[in-house]
Amino acid sequence: MSIYQFAKSIALLAGQRIREELSQELIIETKSNPNDLVTNMDKATEAFLVSQINEQYPDHRIIGEEGHGQDVTDTEGYLWVIDPIDGTLNFVHQQQNFAISIGIFYNGEKYAGVIYDVMNDKLYHAEAGHGAYLNDQQLPALKDTKLVTSIISMNPNWLTKERTRDMYVPIVQAARSSRSYGSAALDFAYVALGIIDSYITLRLHPWDFSGGLIIAEEVGAVVSNQLGEKLDPLHSNSILVANPGLHQELLNDYLGPYRSRLSEIHQGQFSNR
Ligand code: 2AM
Ligand code: CA
Ligand code: CA
Ligand code: CA
């Protein structure tokens, strides 16, 4: 079995475990603030994925949101970047609209991405250079869109903050409509699927974007930070993912005028870059 096949198989297994245990009572803890939650299921799922990977590939290294992986500071060899449950608030409140996300890199280059929409049993997956799939169906290349006829995804929280309001309101105003799904991994998957045209957010961690980055780029999406720079699996960043035409329009016409503010935000937030 290839590493890619193995990654898909453990995502499916982990999802099955979550579905089977959904009726059990959750133990919910808060992390950085009262709305930043983690459950026993996040931790158990990460522990399961990490133990499976360690057993099969003891020399591979792992970064995971809940800390079961290692402290990784370089990208040598195989690197797994995993989010056991992306969309924990959806998981807790809705028992749906959450995903398992896995991105795998080899010597810092994209190798494969897997996003498993657990409750809908939809597996988005891609091996770099070989196209992206939803279950067994290959996803077609994205077509360019203009913002006026696009649906974008953005968390409305960014429109309530002094520092970002004037930058993002014109995008929401100009778009055909906007959505907020509450799972970054599913946002990437939906861009890859072409059901939304762009996903825009100011702060994601490597486990939020690594699987999605690899899948979305396989259908021709452009994935960068909001300064147009490449993402890497070791650092948090802002996100702009869209079909090529819309990515350029957003970067040039909407974010470009705020370049110095965005640079400042990046230096402040992501100073370890
Ligand atoms: P999580 O559910 O794995 O924590 C919600 O808008 C999306 O943003 C989810 O993908 C969520 O991932 C992620 N998210 C939540 N809190 C975050 C934070 N403080 N920084 C970056 N991403 C966050
Ligand atoms: Ca979290
Ligand atoms: Ca996440
Ligand atoms: Ca998570």
Side-chain angles (χ1 to χ4, degrees), residues 28-80:
I28 302 168
E29 295 166 69
T30 56
K31 292 168 88 178
S32 64
N33 66 65
N35 301 325
D36 184 6
L37 305 184
V38 61
T39 74
N40 56 314
M41 194 65 81
D42 296 67
K43 294 177 186 176
T45 302
E46 184 170 302
F48 170 76
L49 292 169
V50 168
S51 77
Q52 294 287 313
I53 299 161
N54 281 338
E55 194 177 313
Q56 189 77 14
Y57 305 111
D59 57 327
H60 290 195
R61 295 184 302 162
I62 307 165
I63 300 172
E65 177 178 11
E66 310 307 344
H68 293 85
Q70 296 108 345
D71 190 12
V72 176
T73 53
D74 67 81
T75 54
E76 207 183 306
Y78 279 101
L79 173 63
W80 295 63

Side-chain angles (χ1 to χ4, degrees), residues 42-151:
D42 296 67
K43 294 177 186 176
T45 302
E46 184 170 302
F48 170 76
L49 292 169
V50 168
S51 77
Q52 294 287 313
I53 299 161
N54 281 338
E55 194 177 313
Q56 189 77 14
Y57 305 111
D59 57 327
H60 290 195
R61 295 184 302 162
I62 307 165
I63 300 172
E65 177 178 11
E66 310 307 344
H68 293 85
Q70 296 108 345
D71 190 12
V72 176
T73 53
D74 67 81
T75 54
E76 207 183 306
Y78 279 101
L79 173 63
W80 295 63
V81 186
I82 64 180
D83 194 339
I85 297 184
D86 181 63
T88 294
L89 282 179
N90 289 351
F91 175 67
V92 169
H93 286 252
Q94 307 176 335
Q95 291 82 52
Q96 59 177 337
N97 303 322
F98 60 90
I100 295 167
S101 176
I102 301 176
I104 310 172
F105 299 83
Y106 179 66
N107 288 342
E109 300 293 323
K110 295 177 289 178
Y111 166 67
V114 174
I115 293 172
Y116 187 37
D117 176 345
V118 172
M119 300 314 288
N120 291 311
D121 192 25
K122 288 185 175 173
L123 188 73
Y124 301 87
H125 55 99
E127 186 179 3
H130 294 87
Y133 291 78
L134 166 50
N135 297 330
D136 298 331
Q137 284 301 109
Q138 185 165 5
L139 301 179
L142 298 182
K143 295 193 176 78
D144 286 340
T145 61
K146 290 283 190 194
L147 186 57
V148 286
T149 52
S150 294
I151 299 184

Side-chain angles (χ1 to χ4, degrees), residues 1-261:
M1 194 190 290
S2 69
I3 298 167
Y4 174 45
Q5 297 295 344
F6 178 76
K8 290 191 278 183
S9 73
I10 60 172
L12 290 170
L13 273 177
Q16 189 187 342
R17 290 164 62 102
I18 294 174
R19 285 192 302 269
E20 283 168 2
E21 289 176 31
L22 214 55
S23 58
Q24 314 234 341
E25 200 168 332
L26 282 177
I27 302 162
I28 302 168
E29 295 166 69
T30 56
K31 292 168 88 178
S32 64
N33 66 65
N35 301 325
D36 184 6
L37 305 184
V38 61
T39 74
N40 56 314
M41 194 65 81
D42 296 67
K43 294 177 186 176
T45 302
E46 184 170 302
F48 170 76
L49 292 169
V50 168
S51 77
Q52 294 287 313
I53 299 161
N54 281 338
E55 194 177 313
Q56 189 77 14
Y57 305 111
D59 57 327
H60 290 195
R61 295 184 302 162
I62 307 165
I63 300 172
E65 177 178 11
E66 310 307 344
H68 293 85
Q70 296 108 345
D71 190 12
V72 176
T73 53
D74 67 81
T75 54
E76 207 183 306
Y78 279 101
L79 173 63
W80 295 63
V81 186
I82 64 180
D83 194 339
I85 297 184
D86 181 63
T88 294
L89 282 179
N90 289 351
F91 175 67
V92 169
H93 286 252
Q94 307 176 335
Q95 291 82 52
Q96 59 177 337
N97 303 322
F98 60 90
I100 295 167
S101 176
I102 301 176
I104 310 172
F105 299 83
Y106 179 66
N107 288 342
E109 300 293 323
K110 295 177 289 178
Y111 166 67
V114 174
I115 293 172
Y116 187 37
D117 176 345
V118 172
M119 300 314 288
N120 291 311
D121 192 25
K122 288 185 175 173
L123 188 73
Y124 301 87
H125 55 99
E127 186 179 3
H130 294 87
Y133 291 78
L134 166 50
N135 297 330
D136 298 331
Q137 284 301 109
Q138 185 165 5
L139 301 179
L142 298 182
K143 295 193 176 78
D144 286 340
T145 61
K146 290 283 190 194
L147 186 57
V148 286
T149 52
S150 294
I151 299 184
I152 61 156
S153 175
M154 182 190 288
N155 188 322
N157 283 341
W158 299 120
L159 306 177
T160 68
K161 294 191 191 338
E162 189 79 47
R163 206 161 58 140
T164 49
R165 183 187 297 140
D166 54 339
M167 201 162 56
Y168 293 141
V169 162
I171 298 177
V172 173
Q173 279 172 333
R176 174 167 274 170
S177 193
S178 49
R179 301 285 183 271
S180 180
Y181 294 105
S183 158
L186 290 177
D187 280 302
F188 273 89
Y190 295 162
V191 172
L193 204 53
I195 64 171
I196 59 169
D197 302 297
S198 178
Y199 171 49
I200 304 161
T201 191
L202 196 56
R203 185 183 174 83
L204 287 184
H205 297 298
W207 43 82
D208 300 313
F209 66 69
S210 286
L213 159 77
I214 296 169
I215 294 168
E217 286 191 345
E218 277 304 306
V219 293
V222 181
V223 183
S224 71
N225 72 6
Q226 291 181 17
L227 295 163
E229 300 163 344
K230 198 172 174 225
L231 307 178
D232 76 80
L234 297 183
H235 296 106
S236 303
N237 218 325
S238 67
I239 299 290
L240 175 63
V241 48
N243 63 65
L246 183 57
H247 187 277
Q248 192 174 33
E249 183 183 356
L250 288 167
L251 202 57
N252 290 351
D253 301 353
Y254 291 88
L255 299 172
Y258 294 94
R259 209 178 159 76
S260 61
R261 188 187 316 168

